[in-house]
């Protein structure tokens, strides 16, 4: 491997592309939006509040007030309408 290079460029680019795609997918979410978070089609700890996306992770708060950091690679998110806040 040439001097000064680290890692596999192809793998590094794929990781960056995945983060970019995940971030683009969440561009319409805003801080304070009510959300449901799913992993493998199953809902995680109920509903919560969207906080932000950071380094490939969703940062959100569940209804118990716990702050959660969840990898965007394994989840899907649905925005709740204001009438669906349980």
């Amino acid at each position: 491997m040439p001097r000064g290079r680290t890692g596999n460029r192809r793998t590094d680019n794929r990781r960056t592309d995945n983060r970019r795609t995940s971030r683009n997918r969440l561009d319409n979410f805003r801080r304070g939006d009510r959300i449901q978070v799913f992993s493998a089609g199953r809902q995680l700890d109920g509903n919560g509040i969207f906080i932000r996306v950071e380094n490939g992770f969703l940062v959100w708060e569940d209804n118990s007030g716990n702050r959660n950091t969840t990898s965007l690679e394994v989840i899907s998110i649905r925005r709740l309408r204001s009438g669906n806040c349980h």
Side-chain angles (χ1 to χ4, degrees), residues 19 28 30 34 43 50:
R19 268 186 262 152
N28 293 324
R30 300 288 177 247
R34 302 289 303 172
Q43 185 174 344
F50 179 86

Side-chain angles (χ1 to χ4, degrees), residues 49-83:
I49 298 172
F50 179 86
I51 297 174
R52 69 180 173 276
V53 172
E54 183 177 300
N55 297 321
F57 289 87
L58 168 69
V59 180
W60 62 290
E61 187 173 293
D62 63 28
N63 284 335
S64 298
N66 299 311
R67 179 130 333 164
N68 301 280
T69 304
T70 308
S71 173
L72 291 171
E73 292 183 13
V74 296
I75 63 170
S76 59
I77 303 163
R78 178 169 66 184
R79 180 182 290 114
L80 296 173
R81 295 182 182 163
S82 57

